[in-house]
PDB file of all heavy atoms in Angstrom:
ATOM      1  N   SER E  30     -38.095 -29.968 189.991  1.00  0.00           N
ATOM      2  CA  SER E  30     -37.653 -29.245 188.801  1.00  0.00           C
ATOM      3  C   SER E  30     -37.220 -27.830 189.149  1.00  0.00           C
ATOM      4  O   SER E  30     -36.214 -27.328 188.659  1.00  0.00           O
ATOM      5  CB  SER E  30     -38.790 -29.205 187.763  1.00  0.00           C
ATOM      6  OG  SER E  30     -39.105 -30.507 187.334  1.00  0.00           O
ATOM      7  N   ASP E  31     -37.989 -27.189 190.022  1.00  0.00           N
ATOM      8  CA  ASP E  31     -37.629 -25.842 190.441  1.00  0.00           C
ATOM      9  C   ASP E  31     -36.301 -25.839 191.184  1.00  0.00           C
ATOM     10  O   ASP E  31     -35.476 -24.954 191.038  1.00  0.00           O
ATOM     11  CB  ASP E  31     -38.724 -25.264 191.357  1.00  0.00           C
ATOM     12  CG  ASP E  31     -40.006 -24.956 190.577  1.00  0.00           C
ATOM     13  OD1 ASP E  31     -39.945 -24.978 189.331  1.00  0.00           O
ATOM     14  OD2 ASP E  31     -41.038 -24.718 191.222  1.00  0.00           O
ATOM     15  N   GLU E  32     -36.096 -26.890 192.005  1.00  0.00           N
ATOM     16  CA  GLU E  32     -34.847 -26.968 192.763  1.00  0.00           C
ATOM     17  C   GLU E  32     -33.658 -27.087 191.827  1.00  0.00           C
ATOM     18  O   GLU E  32     -32.595 -26.513 192.060  1.00  0.00           O
ATOM     19  CB  GLU E  32     -34.896 -28.170 193.715  1.00  0.00           C
ATOM     20  CG  GLU E  32     -33.678 -28.310 194.589  1.00  0.00           C
ATOM     21  CD  GLU E  32     -33.489 -27.141 195.531  1.00  0.00           C
ATOM     22  OE1 GLU E  32     -34.492 -26.551 195.949  1.00  0.00           O
ATOM     23  OE2 GLU E  32     -32.333 -26.814 195.830  1.00  0.00           O
ATOM     24  N   VAL E  33     -33.827 -27.867 190.762  1.00  0.00           N
ATOM     25  CA  VAL E  33     -32.745 -28.013 189.796  1.00  0.00           C
ATOM     26  C   VAL E  33     -32.390 -26.668 189.200  1.00  0.00           C
ATOM     27  O   VAL E  33     -31.228 -26.291 189.075  1.00  0.00           O
ATOM     28  CB  VAL E  33     -33.138 -29.011 188.684  1.00  0.00           C
ATOM     29  CG1 VAL E  33     -32.116 -28.979 187.567  1.00  0.00           C
ATOM     30  CG2 VAL E  33     -33.239 -30.420 189.250  1.00  0.00           C
ATOM     31  N   SER E  34     -33.395 -25.902 188.807  1.00  0.00           N
ATOM     32  CA  SER E  34     -33.130 -24.621 188.163  1.00  0.00           C
ATOM     33  C   SER E  34     -32.526 -23.619 189.134  1.00  0.00           C
ATOM     34  O   SER E  34     -31.732 -22.770 188.753  1.00  0.00           O
ATOM     35  CB  SER E  34     -34.435 -24.062 187.566  1.00  0.00           C
ATOM     36  OG  SER E  34     -35.373 -23.777 188.594  1.00  0.00           O
ATOM     37  N   ARG E  35     -32.885 -23.742 190.433  1.00  0.00           N
ATOM     38  CA  ARG E  35     -32.340 -22.796 191.405  1.00  0.00           C
ATOM     39  C   ARG E  35     -30.945 -23.174 191.865  1.00  0.00           C
ATOM     40  O   ARG E  35     -30.087 -22.344 192.068  1.00  0.00           O
ATOM     41  CB  ARG E  35     -33.248 -22.742 192.656  1.00  0.00           C
ATOM     42  CG  ARG E  35     -34.585 -22.091 192.428  1.00  0.00           C
ATOM     43  CD  ARG E  35     -35.214 -21.762 193.782  1.00  0.00           C
ATOM     44  NE  ARG E  35     -35.363 -22.945 194.612  1.00  0.00           N
ATOM     45  CZ  ARG E  35     -36.450 -23.700 194.640  1.00  0.00           C
ATOM     46  NH1 ARG E  35     -37.458 -23.424 193.852  1.00  0.00           N
ATOM     47  NH2 ARG E  35     -36.513 -24.743 195.442  1.00  0.00           N
ATOM     48  N   GLY E  36     -30.712 -24.487 192.042  1.00  0.00           N
ATOM     49  CA  GLY E  36     -29.513 -24.910 192.739  1.00  0.00           C
ATOM     50  C   GLY E  36     -28.322 -25.251 191.875  1.00  0.00           C
ATOM     51  O   GLY E  36     -27.196 -25.228 192.357  1.00  0.00           O
ATOM     52  N   LEU E  37     -28.516 -25.583 190.619  1.00  0.00           N
ATOM     53  CA  LEU E  37     -27.396 -26.017 189.800  1.00  0.00           C
ATOM     54  C   LEU E  37     -26.972 -24.930 188.835  1.00  0.00           C
ATOM     55  O   LEU E  37     -27.794 -24.302 188.189  1.00  0.00           O
ATOM     56  CB  LEU E  37     -27.778 -27.265 188.995  1.00  0.00           C
ATOM     57  CG  LEU E  37     -27.968 -28.563 189.792  1.00  0.00           C
ATOM     58  CD1 LEU E  37     -28.349 -29.678 188.840  1.00  0.00           C
ATOM     59  CD2 LEU E  37     -26.702 -28.920 190.519  1.00  0.00           C
ATOM     60  N   ARG E  38     -25.674 -24.727 188.742  1.00  0.00           N
ATOM     61  CA  ARG E  38     -25.192 -23.777 187.760  1.00  0.00           C
ATOM     62  C   ARG E  38     -25.314 -24.407 186.373  1.00  0.00           C
ATOM     63  O   ARG E  38     -25.324 -25.633 186.239  1.00  0.00           O
ATOM     64  CB  ARG E  38     -23.745 -23.384 188.056  1.00  0.00           C
ATOM     65  CG  ARG E  38     -22.734 -24.488 187.856  1.00  0.00           C
ATOM     66  CD  ARG E  38     -21.345 -23.989 188.193  1.00  0.00           C
ATOM     67  NE  ARG E  38     -20.332 -24.997 187.999  1.00  0.00           N
ATOM     68  CZ  ARG E  38     -19.748 -25.267 186.845  1.00  0.00           C
ATOM     69  NH1 ARG E  38     -20.100 -24.612 185.750  1.00  0.00           N
ATOM     70  NH2 ARG E  38     -18.824 -26.197 186.754  1.00  0.00           N
ATOM     71  N   PRO E  39     -25.378 -23.636 185.305  1.00  0.00           N
ATOM     72  CA  PRO E  39     -25.480 -24.184 183.961  1.00  0.00           C
ATOM     73  C   PRO E  39     -24.334 -25.132 183.668  1.00  0.00           C
ATOM     74  O   PRO E  39     -23.181 -24.852 183.956  1.00  0.00           O
ATOM     75  CB  PRO E  39     -25.436 -22.934 183.071  1.00  0.00           C
ATOM     76  CG  PRO E  39     -25.912 -21.825 183.949  1.00  0.00           C
ATOM     77  CD  PRO E  39     -25.413 -22.164 185.323  1.00  0.00           C
ATOM     78  N   GLY E  40     -24.659 -26.275 183.091  1.00  0.00           N
ATOM     79  CA  GLY E  40     -23.643 -27.220 182.666  1.00  0.00           C
ATOM     80  C   GLY E  40     -23.379 -28.336 183.657  1.00  0.00           C
ATOM     81  O   GLY E  40     -22.803 -29.352 183.323  1.00  0.00           O
ATOM     82  N   LEU E  41     -23.804 -28.179 184.940  1.00  0.00           N
ATOM     83  CA  LEU E  41     -23.606 -29.250 185.908  1.00  0.00           C
ATOM     84  C   LEU E  41     -24.741 -30.239 185.767  1.00  0.00           C
ATOM     85  O   LEU E  41     -25.901 -29.910 185.992  1.00  0.00           O
ATOM     86  CB  LEU E  41     -23.572 -28.691 187.332  1.00  0.00           C
ATOM     87  CG  LEU E  41     -23.312 -29.736 188.429  1.00  0.00           C
ATOM     88  CD1 LEU E  41     -21.978 -30.412 188.217  1.00  0.00           C
ATOM     89  CD2 LEU E  41     -23.365 -29.098 189.795  1.00  0.00           C
ATOM     90  N   THR E  42     -24.434 -31.445 185.391  1.00  0.00           N
ATOM     91  CA  THR E  42     -25.439 -32.461 185.141  1.00  0.00           C
ATOM     92  C   THR E  42     -25.284 -33.613 186.099  1.00  0.00           C
ATOM     93  O   THR E  42     -24.292 -33.741 186.800  1.00  0.00           O
ATOM     94  CB  THR E  42     -25.312 -33.008 183.708  1.00  0.00           C
ATOM     95  OG1 THR E  42     -24.057 -33.692 183.602  1.00  0.00           O
ATOM     96  CG2 THR E  42     -25.381 -31.894 182.691  1.00  0.00           C
ATOM     97  N   GLY E  43     -26.330 -34.485 186.118  1.00  0.00           N
ATOM     98  CA  GLY E  43     -26.268 -35.677 186.946  1.00  0.00           C
ATOM     99  C   GLY E  43     -25.085 -36.544 186.588  1.00  0.00           C
ATOM    100  O   GLY E  43     -24.511 -37.221 187.437  1.00  0.00           O
ATOM    101  N   ARG E  44     -24.679 -36.554 185.309  1.00  0.00           N
ATOM    102  CA  ARG E  44     -23.554 -37.381 184.896  1.00  0.00           C
ATOM    103  C   ARG E  44     -22.269 -36.912 185.555  1.00  0.00           C
ATOM    104  O   ARG E  44     -21.434 -37.712 185.980  1.00  0.00           O
ATOM    105  CB  ARG E  44     -23.397 -37.342 183.375  1.00  0.00           C
ATOM    106  CG  ARG E  44     -22.316 -38.292 182.866  1.00  0.00           C
ATOM    107  CD  ARG E  44     -22.138 -38.175 181.382  1.00  0.00           C
ATOM    108  NE  ARG E  44     -21.627 -36.871 180.994  1.00  0.00           N
ATOM    109  CZ  ARG E  44     -20.339 -36.526 181.077  1.00  0.00           C
ATOM    110  NH1 ARG E  44     -19.455 -37.372 181.561  1.00  0.00           N
ATOM    111  NH2 ARG E  44     -19.939 -35.330 180.706  1.00  0.00           N
ATOM    112  N   LEU E  45     -22.095 -35.579 185.659  1.00  0.00           N
ATOM    113  CA  LEU E  45     -20.885 -35.062 186.299  1.00  0.00           C
ATOM    114  C   LEU E  45     -20.870 -35.387 187.783  1.00  0.00           C
ATOM    115  O   LEU E  45     -19.818 -35.614 188.363  1.00  0.00           O
ATOM    116  CB  LEU E  45     -20.778 -33.553 186.086  1.00  0.00           C
ATOM    117  CG  LEU E  45     -20.526 -33.095 184.637  1.00  0.00           C
ATOM    118  CD1 LEU E  45     -20.516 -31.577 184.569  1.00  0.00           C
ATOM    119  CD2 LEU E  45     -19.216 -33.656 184.116  1.00  0.00           C
ATOM    120  N   ILE E  46     -22.035 -35.400 188.408  1.00  0.00           N
ATOM    121  CA  ILE E  46     -22.117 -35.757 189.818  1.00  0.00           C
ATOM    122  C   ILE E  46     -22.000 -37.260 189.976  1.00  0.00           C
ATOM    123  O   ILE E  46     -21.584 -37.761 191.007  1.00  0.00           O
ATOM    124  CB  ILE E  46     -23.448 -35.234 190.423  1.00  0.00           C
ATOM    125  CG1 ILE E  46     -23.413 -33.704 190.457  1.00  0.00           C
ATOM    126  CG2 ILE E  46     -23.681 -35.777 191.809  1.00  0.00           C
ATOM    127  CD1 ILE E  46     -24.672 -33.086 190.960  1.00  0.00           C
ATOM    128  N   GLY E  47     -22.348 -38.009 188.942  1.00  0.00           N
ATOM    129  CA  GLY E  47     -22.238 -39.455 188.988  1.00  0.00           C
ATOM    130  C   GLY E  47     -23.480 -40.174 189.443  1.00  0.00           C
ATOM    131  O   GLY E  47     -23.419 -41.347 189.807  1.00  0.00           O
ATOM    132  N   LEU E  48     -24.626 -39.481 189.462  1.00  0.00           N
ATOM    133  CA  LEU E  48     -25.873 -40.085 189.903  1.00  0.00           C
ATOM    134  C   LEU E  48     -26.978 -39.878 188.876  1.00  0.00           C
ATOM    135  O   LEU E  48     -26.969 -38.887 188.139  1.00  0.00           O
ATOM    136  CB  LEU E  48     -26.329 -39.458 191.229  1.00  0.00           C
ATOM    137  CG  LEU E  48     -25.456 -39.666 192.456  1.00  0.00           C
ATOM    138  CD1 LEU E  48     -26.059 -38.933 193.643  1.00  0.00           C
ATOM    139  CD2 LEU E  48     -25.312 -41.138 192.777  1.00  0.00           C
ATOM    140  N   PRO E  49     -27.954 -40.776 188.839  1.00  0.00           N
ATOM    141  CA  PRO E  49     -29.131 -40.525 188.004  1.00  0.00           C
ATOM    142  C   PRO E  49     -29.970 -39.403 188.582  1.00  0.00           C
ATOM    143  O   PRO E  49     -29.827 -39.037 189.762  1.00  0.00           O
ATOM    144  CB  PRO E  49     -29.887 -41.867 188.063  1.00  0.00           C
ATOM    145  CG  PRO E  49     -29.467 -42.470 189.357  1.00  0.00           C
ATOM    146  CD  PRO E  49     -28.029 -42.058 189.550  1.00  0.00           C
ATOM    147  N   GLY E  50     -30.844 -38.844 187.760  1.00  0.00           N
ATOM    148  CA  GLY E  50     -31.746 -37.796 188.218  1.00  0.00           C
ATOM    149  C   GLY E  50     -33.043 -38.369 188.752  1.00  0.00           C
ATOM    150  O   GLY E  50     -33.257 -39.578 188.808  1.00  0.00           O
ATOM    151  N   MET E  51     -33.952 -37.468 189.102  1.00  0.00           N
ATOM    152  CA  MET E  51     -35.204 -37.897 189.726  1.00  0.00           C
ATOM    153  C   MET E  51     -36.114 -38.642 188.753  1.00  0.00           C
ATOM    154  O   MET E  51     -36.891 -39.494 189.171  1.00  0.00           O
ATOM    155  CB  MET E  51     -35.934 -36.686 190.309  1.00  0.00           C
ATOM    156  CG  MET E  51     -35.320 -36.172 191.591  1.00  0.00           C
ATOM    157  SD  MET E  51     -35.205 -37.448 192.884  1.00  0.00           S
ATOM    158  CE  MET E  51     -36.938 -37.849 193.094  1.00  0.00           C
ATOM    159  N   GLU E  52     -36.017 -38.337 187.471  1.00  0.00           N
ATOM    160  CA  GLU E  52     -36.855 -39.047 186.512  1.00  0.00           C
ATOM    161  C   GLU E  52     -36.532 -40.538 186.522  1.00  0.00           C
ATOM    162  O   GLU E  52     -37.426 -41.401 186.540  1.00  0.00           O
ATOM    163  CB  GLU E  52     -36.660 -38.475 185.108  1.00  0.00           C
ATOM    164  CG  GLU E  52     -37.569 -39.109 184.062  1.00  0.00           C
ATOM    165  CD  GLU E  52     -37.414 -38.463 182.697  1.00  0.00           C
ATOM    166  OE1 GLU E  52     -36.763 -37.400 182.603  1.00  0.00           O
ATOM    167  OE2 GLU E  52     -37.959 -39.023 181.724  1.00  0.00           O
ATOM    168  N   THR E  53     -35.248 -40.854 186.526  1.00  0.00           N
ATOM    169  CA  THR E  53     -34.830 -42.259 186.602  1.00  0.00           C
ATOM    170  C   THR E  53     -35.243 -42.884 187.924  1.00  0.00           C
ATOM    171  O   THR E  53     -35.711 -44.028 187.973  1.00  0.00           O
ATOM    172  CB  THR E  53     -33.301 -42.365 186.440  1.00  0.00           C
ATOM    173  OG1 THR E  53     -32.931 -41.835 185.172  1.00  0.00           O
ATOM    174  CG2 THR E  53     -32.840 -43.809 186.533  1.00  0.00           C
ATOM    175  N   ALA E  54     -35.085 -42.131 189.007  1.00  0.00           N
ATOM    176  CA  ALA E  54     -35.452 -42.653 190.325  1.00  0.00           C
ATOM    177  C   ALA E  54     -36.946 -42.941 190.406  1.00  0.00           C
ATOM    178  O   ALA E  54     -37.364 -43.980 190.941  1.00  0.00           O
ATOM    179  CB  ALA E  54     -35.043 -41.658 191.413  1.00  0.00           C
ATOM    180  N   ARG E  55     -37.763 -42.032 189.897  1.00  0.00           N
ATOM    181  CA  ARG E  55     -39.217 -42.233 189.932  1.00  0.00           C
ATOM    182  C   ARG E  55     -39.604 -43.481 189.164  1.00  0.00           C
ATOM    183  O   ARG E  55     -40.465 -44.263 189.588  1.00  0.00           O
ATOM    184  CB  ARG E  55     -39.947 -41.026 189.361  1.00  0.00           C
ATOM    185  CG  ARG E  55     -39.868 -39.771 190.227  1.00  0.00           C
ATOM    186  CD  ARG E  55     -40.692 -38.638 189.649  1.00  0.00           C
ATOM    187  NE  ARG E  55     -42.112 -38.859 189.865  1.00  0.00           N
ATOM    188  CZ  ARG E  55     -42.967 -39.318 188.950  1.00  0.00           C
ATOM    189  NH1 ARG E  55     -42.528 -39.654 187.743  1.00  0.00           N
ATOM    190  NH2 ARG E  55     -44.237 -39.458 189.236  1.00  0.00           N
ATOM    191  N   ALA E  56     -38.962 -43.693 188.010  1.00  0.00           N
ATOM    192  CA  ALA E  56     -39.277 -44.874 187.197  1.00  0.00           C
ATOM    193  C   ALA E  56     -38.907 -46.158 187.941  1.00  0.00           C
ATOM    194  O   ALA E  56     -39.663 -47.144 187.921  1.00  0.00           O
ATOM    195  CB  ALA E  56     -38.549 -44.800 185.861  1.00  0.00           C
ATOM    196  N   ARG E  57     -37.752 -46.138 188.615  1.00  0.00           N
ATOM    197  CA  ARG E  57     -37.318 -47.324 189.349  1.00  0.00           C
ATOM    198  C   ARG E  57     -38.280 -47.616 190.509  1.00  0.00           C
ATOM    199  O   ARG E  57     -38.645 -48.770 190.754  1.00  0.00           O
ATOM    200  CB  ARG E  57     -35.905 -47.097 189.888  1.00  0.00           C
ATOM    201  CG  ARG E  57     -35.321 -48.274 190.649  1.00  0.00           C
ATOM    202  CD  ARG E  57     -34.847 -49.375 189.719  1.00  0.00           C
ATOM    203  NE  ARG E  57     -33.866 -48.861 188.798  1.00  0.00           N
ATOM    204  CZ  ARG E  57     -32.569 -48.730 189.075  1.00  0.00           C
ATOM    205  NH1 ARG E  57     -32.118 -49.070 190.266  1.00  0.00           N
ATOM    206  NH2 ARG E  57     -31.738 -48.274 188.155  1.00  0.00           N
ATOM    207  N   ILE E  58     -38.659 -46.572 191.240  1.00  0.00           N
ATOM    208  CA  ILE E  58     -39.570 -46.762 192.370  1.00  0.00           C
ATOM    209  C   ILE E  58     -40.924 -47.267 191.885  1.00  0.00           C
ATOM    210  O   ILE E  58     -41.548 -48.126 192.524  1.00  0.00           O
ATOM    211  CB  ILE E  58     -39.718 -45.448 193.158  1.00  0.00           C
ATOM    212  CG1 ILE E  58     -38.372 -45.069 193.797  1.00  0.00           C
ATOM    213  CG2 ILE E  58     -40.783 -45.572 194.233  1.00  0.00           C
ATOM    214  CD1 ILE E  58     -38.330 -43.659 194.351  1.00  0.00           C
ATOM    215  N   ALA E  59     -41.375 -46.751 190.748  1.00  0.00           N
ATOM    216  CA  ALA E  59     -42.644 -47.223 190.187  1.00  0.00           C
ATOM    217  C   ALA E  59     -42.571 -48.713 189.848  1.00  0.00           C
ATOM    218  O   ALA E  59     -43.552 -49.456 190.025  1.00  0.00           O
ATOM    219  CB  ALA E  59     -42.995 -46.410 188.941  1.00  0.00           C
ATOM    220  N   GLU E  60     -41.413 -49.163 189.377  1.00  0.00           N
ATOM    221  CA  GLU E  60     -41.231 -50.590 189.099  1.00  0.00           C
ATOM    222  C   GLU E  60     -41.332 -51.402 190.388  1.00  0.00           C
ATOM    223  O   GLU E  60     -41.949 -52.469 190.416  1.00  0.00           O
ATOM    224  CB  GLU E  60     -39.874 -50.827 188.436  1.00  0.00           C
ATOM    225  CG  GLU E  60     -39.761 -50.283 187.021  1.00  0.00           C
ATOM    226  CD  GLU E  60     -38.364 -50.449 186.461  1.00  0.00           C
ATOM    227  OE1 GLU E  60     -37.496 -51.023 187.184  1.00  0.00           O
ATOM    228  OE2 GLU E  60     -38.117 -50.013 185.321  1.00  0.00           O
ATOM    229  N   TRP E  61     -40.714 -50.910 191.445  1.00  0.00           N
ATOM    230  CA  TRP E  61     -40.781 -51.622 192.729  1.00  0.00           C
ATOM    231  C   TRP E  61     -42.222 -51.712 193.215  1.00  0.00           C
ATOM    232  O   TRP E  61     -42.639 -52.740 193.743  1.00  0.00           O
ATOM    233  CB  TRP E  61     -39.935 -50.906 193.773  1.00  0.00           C
ATOM    234  CG  TRP E  61     -38.458 -50.951 193.510  1.00  0.00           C
ATOM    235  CD1 TRP E  61     -37.795 -51.832 192.694  1.00  0.00           C
ATOM    236  CD2 TRP E  61     -37.463 -50.087 194.061  1.00  0.00           C
ATOM    237  NE1 TRP E  61     -36.455 -51.568 192.691  1.00  0.00           N
ATOM    238  CE2 TRP E  61     -36.202 -50.516 193.517  1.00  0.00           C
ATOM    239  CE3 TRP E  61     -37.481 -49.030 194.938  1.00  0.00           C
ATOM    240  CZ2 TRP E  61     -35.019 -49.879 193.861  1.00  0.00           C
ATOM    241  CZ3 TRP E  61     -36.290 -48.401 195.277  1.00  0.00           C
ATOM    242  CH2 TRP E  61     -35.070 -48.827 194.744  1.00  0.00           C
ATOM    243  N   ILE E  62     -42.975 -50.614 193.067  1.00  0.00           N
ATOM    244  CA  ILE E  62     -44.364 -50.623 193.515  1.00  0.00           C
ATOM    245  C   ILE E  62     -45.173 -51.636 192.711  1.00  0.00           C
ATOM    246  O   ILE E  62     -46.020 -52.364 193.253  1.00  0.00           O
ATOM    247  CB  ILE E  62     -44.969 -49.217 193.396  1.00  0.00           C
ATOM    248  CG1 ILE E  62     -44.310 -48.276 194.431  1.00  0.00           C
ATOM    249  CG2 ILE E  62     -46.483 -49.248 193.590  1.00  0.00           C
ATOM    250  CD1 ILE E  62     -44.755 -46.838 194.321  1.00  0.00           C
ATOM    251  N   ALA E  63     -44.921 -51.709 191.399  1.00  0.00           N
ATOM    252  CA  ALA E  63     -45.620 -52.682 190.558  1.00  0.00           C
ATOM    253  C   ALA E  63     -45.283 -54.109 190.991  1.00  0.00           C
ATOM    254  O   ALA E  63     -46.148 -54.985 191.040  1.00  0.00           O
ATOM    255  CB  ALA E  63     -45.260 -52.472 189.092  1.00  0.00           C
ATOM    256  N   GLU E  64     -44.009 -54.347 191.326  1.00  0.00           N
ATOM    257  CA  GLU E  64     -43.601 -55.669 191.784  1.00  0.00           C
ATOM    258  C   GLU E  64     -44.224 -56.011 193.130  1.00  0.00           C
ATOM    259  O   GLU E  64     -44.489 -57.179 193.428  1.00  0.00           O
ATOM    260  CB  GLU E  64     -42.077 -55.740 191.891  1.00  0.00           C
ATOM    261  CG  GLU E  64     -41.359 -55.652 190.546  1.00  0.00           C
ATOM    262  CD  GLU E  64     -39.856 -55.519 190.721  1.00  0.00           C
ATOM    263  OE1 GLU E  64     -39.411 -55.475 191.887  1.00  0.00           O
ATOM    264  OE2 GLU E  64     -39.148 -55.448 189.701  1.00  0.00           O
ATOM    265  N   ALA E  65     -44.452 -54.965 193.937  1.00  0.00           N
ATOM    266  CA  ALA E  65     -45.027 -55.193 195.267  1.00  0.00           C
ATOM    267  C   ALA E  65     -46.444 -55.740 195.191  1.00  0.00           C
ATOM    268  O   ALA E  65     -46.952 -56.315 196.152  1.00  0.00           O
ATOM    269  CB  ALA E  65     -45.016 -53.900 196.073  1.00  0.00           C
TER     270      ALA E  65
END
């Protein structure tokens, strides 16, 4: 979260970059761990 606030200028979002953010990634990884 700190990295996001330091590194991104206002208005640049994951959608503009074309990738999901870490919240989505964490949820997906948690699903994989549950399946494991």
Side-chain angles (χ1 to χ4, degrees):
S30 297
D31 290 348
E32 183 63 31
V33 170
S34 64
R35 290 195 302 268
L37 290 180
R38 68 181 181 84
L41 182 60
T42 66
R44 185 183 65 80
L45 292 177
I46 293 177
L48 295 178
M51 285 304 299
E52 184 176 349
T53 300
R55 290 184 75 259
R57 181 77 58 83
I58 295 168
E60 291 175 2
W61 292 341
I62 291 175
E64 293 172 359

